[in-house]
């Protein structure tokens, strides 16, 4: 049955992939609630914004009255909550905004969702779900292969790994996850939580590692690699994440947490070298793109390794990533080459590729 799904942060990187997937591949109606911070971009939604199943509300999740108005106007069946300040480096430079949006904003949304849900009746009330979208960064750091005896089996994050966030960003997300769980336990608000690994793909704001490297490489600029570049992340193509989120929102069990990951553990330096070799092939020039790699001072408090055990969502909900890292990263590089208009407009705005979060 067709549902009305309210997506917060639907103009962001992952939110826009969720909205495009819902409009293109399902018959659900989407309400995109987004404040349009520096990270929100309606240009990422031009392919679906004409649909009569799509509407947009420019609202701050911290504004209780406006959130209430949107709930009462659109009467959502499901909330998918992605709106957040999302960049670790920015959280080091200015943590206040992260506490405001990620903690106070999530609290405001939970309270308004509770008031709205309490007043629902019958099937509409019984079917209501609040899906909170979070990150694997809440679990902190895992042992790195460089730190253990060769052959040692390395642990993965599971749904029961204790929280140990390292940055203001991950601490604010951890707080919001705990608020969501407590609203379930205390008020019985029907919530679900997902924790996902690092995403990459089209429409990614150019301050994050992968788009920054692609665009700096094309511009002939240095390709900044933090520290030794041996930090490990578990990369997931954004459209695989969007599919997983919709599967959880529709079919996940209330009260459960699902970890989402791509089984693609890569050192940052490997990611940068892979991008360089794809560019050498698809957009060759006189020198190798890898010659532009420059090692810079590491991020303070940088976690060394994240890796997700995604077996629960695979087993219980039948989701699996469709892209390997190799296929996804090639698609991503090709997307940036074909969509200069999108990223040039972003680079003409508030961010021109400068270093963030050095802690100095
Ligand atoms: N990017 C990743 O690799 C990753 C991985 C796992 C989980 N997550 C989580 O997924 C969610 C989306 O991440 P993303 O990378 O798409 O982030 P993003 O920064 O690209 O987008 C965030 C969106 O939220 C909006 N927003 C910010 N503050 C708001 C507010 N106060 N009110 C309403 N809207 C507001 C922004 O305008 C933007 O459109 C976040 O909750 C993040 O913690 C991200």
């Amino acid at each position: 049955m067709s549902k009305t799904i309210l997506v917060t942060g639907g103009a962001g990187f992952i939110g826009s992939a969720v909205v495009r997937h819902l409009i293109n591949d399902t018959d659900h109606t989407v309400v995109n609630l987004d404040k349009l911070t520096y990270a929100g971009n309606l240009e990422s939604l031009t392919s679906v914004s004409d649909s009569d199943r799509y509407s947009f509300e420019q609202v701050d999740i911290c504004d209780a009255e406006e959130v209430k108005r949107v709930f009462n106007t659109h009467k959502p069946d499901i909330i998918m909550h992605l709106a957040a300040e999302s960049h670790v480096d920015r959280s080091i430079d200015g943590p206040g905004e992260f506490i405001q949006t990620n903690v106070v904003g999530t609290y405001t949304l939970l309270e308004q969702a509770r008031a709205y849900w309490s007043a629902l009746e019958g099937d509409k009330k019984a079917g209501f779900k609040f899906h909170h979208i979070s990150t694997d960064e809440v679990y902190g750091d895992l042992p790195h292969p460089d730190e253990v005896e060769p052959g040692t089996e390395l642990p993965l994050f599971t749904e029961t790994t204790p929280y140990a966030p390292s940055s203001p960003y991950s601490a604010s997300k951890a707080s919001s996850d705990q608020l969501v769980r407590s609203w379930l336990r205390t008020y019985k608000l029907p919530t679900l939580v997902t924790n996902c690994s690092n995403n990459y793909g089209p429409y990614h704001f150019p301050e994050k590692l992968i788009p920054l490297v692609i665009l700096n490489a094309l511009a002939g600029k240095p390709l900044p690699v933090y520290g030794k570049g041996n930090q490990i992340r578990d990369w997931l193509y954004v459209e695989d994440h969007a599919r997983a989120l919709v599967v959880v929102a529709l079919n996940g069990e209330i009260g459960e947490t699902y970890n989402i990951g791509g089984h693609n553990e890569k050192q940052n330096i490997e990611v940068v070298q892979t991008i360089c070799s794809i560019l050498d092939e698809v957009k060759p020039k006189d020198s190798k793109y890898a010659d532009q790699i420059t090692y810079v001072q590491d991020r303070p408090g940088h976690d060394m390794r994240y890796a997700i055990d995604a077996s629960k969502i695979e087993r219980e909900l039948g989701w699996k990533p469709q892209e390997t890292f190799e296929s996804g990263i090639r698609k991503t590089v090709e997307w940036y080459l074909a969509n200069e208009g999108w990223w040039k407009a972003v680079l003409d705005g508030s961010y021109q590729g400068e270093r963030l979060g050095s802690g100095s």
Side-chain angles (χ1 to χ4, degrees):
M1 212 177 67
S2 169
K3 296 193 181 290
T4 297
I5 302 182
L6 186 142
V7 179
T8 74
F13 168 50
I14 301 170
S16 70
V18 170
V19 173
R20 290 190 302 272
H21 171 49
L22 284 168
I23 296 295
N24 289 331
D25 308 320
T26 76
D27 60 358
H28 301 300
T29 295
V30 178
V31 182
N32 172 13
L33 183 158
D34 199 297
K35 179 181 174 182
L36 297 183
T37 66
Y38 80 95
N41 188 347
L42 293 179
E43 294 298 311
S44 307
L45 293 164
T46 47
S47 63
V48 295
S49 54
D50 285 343
S51 166
D52 55 9
R53 292 186 289 114
Y54 171 81
S55 58
F56 173 63
E57 294 275 6
Q58 185 169 3
V59 166
D60 184 340
I61 55 165
C62 301
D63 185 338
E65 280 308 308
E66 274 290 275
V67 170
K68 181 179 179 178
R69 178 190 62 76
V70 172
F71 283 2
N72 290 334
T73 306
H74 296 278
K75 308 207 176 333
D77 300 295
I78 297 176
I79 315 286
M80 296 179 74
H81 174 35
L82 294 97
E85 288 293 333
S86 71
H87 191 184
V88 176
D89 286 340
R90 282 186 190 257
S91 82
I92 294 167
D93 290 341
E97 202 64 38
F98 286 70
I99 305 304
Q100 185 60 22
T101 286
N102 299 359
V103 183
V104 178
T106 300
Y107 155 74
T108 308
L109 204 62
L110 282 167
E111 273 299 76
Q112 291 311 315
R114 180 163 77 94
Y116 165 77
W117 165 73
S118 300
L120 293 176
E121 289 175 349
D123 288 350
K124 186 96 176 168
K125 182 165 191 168
F128 181 79
K129 290 177 183 172
F130 185 106
H131 174 190
H132 176 65
I133 285 84
S134 191
T135 164
D136 63 354
E137 302 195 23
V138 297
Y139 299 123
D141 219 358
L142 283 171
H144 190 281
D146 293 352
E147 296 163 348
V148 297
E149 291 290 317
T152 309
E153 198 177 328
L154 289 163
L156 303 172
F157 295 134
T158 70
E159 287 79 2
T160 55
T161 301
Y163 277 24
S166 308
S167 70
Y169 163 66
S170 53
S172 69
K173 290 297 291 188
S175 310
S176 66
D177 296 9
Q178 306 294 26
L179 288 175
V180 171
R181 291 199 179 91
S182 72
W183 257 244
L184 167 80
R185 175 85 189 241
T186 304
Y187 303 111
K188 310 284 181 273
L189 184 73
T191 63
L192 305 128
V193 177
T194 49
N195 295 85
C196 186
S197 58
N198 277 46
N199 283 214
Y200 68 100
Y203 302 101
H204 206 179
F205 194 84
E207 67 188 7
K208 303 271 175 102
L209 176 71
I210 288 179
L212 182 72
V213 166
I214 297 170
L215 299 184
N216 277 12
L218 293 174
K221 291 183 183 168
L223 309 181
V225 172
Y226 288 1
K228 293 186 199 152
N230 60 343
Q231 309 84 358
I232 293 176
R233 300 292 178 263
D234 177 355
W235 292 96
L236 180 68
Y237 192 62
V238 67
E239 290 172 12
D240 277 326
H241 188 197
R243 283 191 309 103
L245 293 178
V246 171
V247 167
V248 171
L250 294 173
N251 304 325
E253 195 78 33
I254 297 302
E256 291 296 320
T257 295
Y258 300 91
N259 279 357
I260 307 171
H263 310 293
N264 285 312
E265 283 187 57
K266 302 277 173 211
Q267 297 199 8
N268 285 349
I269 186 67
E270 285 177 78
V271 171
V272 175
Q273 280 162 345
T274 306
I275 293 169
C276 289
S277 46
I278 295 171
L279 282 171
D280 285 337
E281 185 192 319
V282 297
K283 201 159 171 54
K285 56 175 188 162
D286 292 345
S287 56
K288 294 277 181 207
Y289 286 95
D291 296 345
Q292 292 164 233
I293 292 174
T294 315
Y295 292 89
V296 299
Q297 188 199 343
D298 206 352
R299 165 192 286 167
H302 208 168
D303 287 334
M304 284 305 290
R305 175 170 168 259
Y306 301 141
I308 282 269
D309 174 354
S311 56
K312 177 175 170 181
I313 184 173
E314 294 182 10
R315 193 174 58 244
E316 295 186 7
L317 300 178
W319 170 87
K320 261 192 182 5
Q322 289 177 356
E323 301 293 341
T324 62
F325 183 71
E326 289 63 33
S327 66
I329 194 72
R330 184 170 286 273
K331 276 190 177 179
T332 305
V333 171
E334 286 168 355
W335 186 87
Y336 278 88
L337 287 173
N339 288 277
E340 224 177 272
W342 183 89
W343 54 262
K344 282 218 160 125
V346 176
L347 290 179
D348 286 344
S350 59
Y351 179 73
Q352 282 93 34
E354 62 274 18
R355 171 78 198 260
L356 299 167
S358 60
S360 54

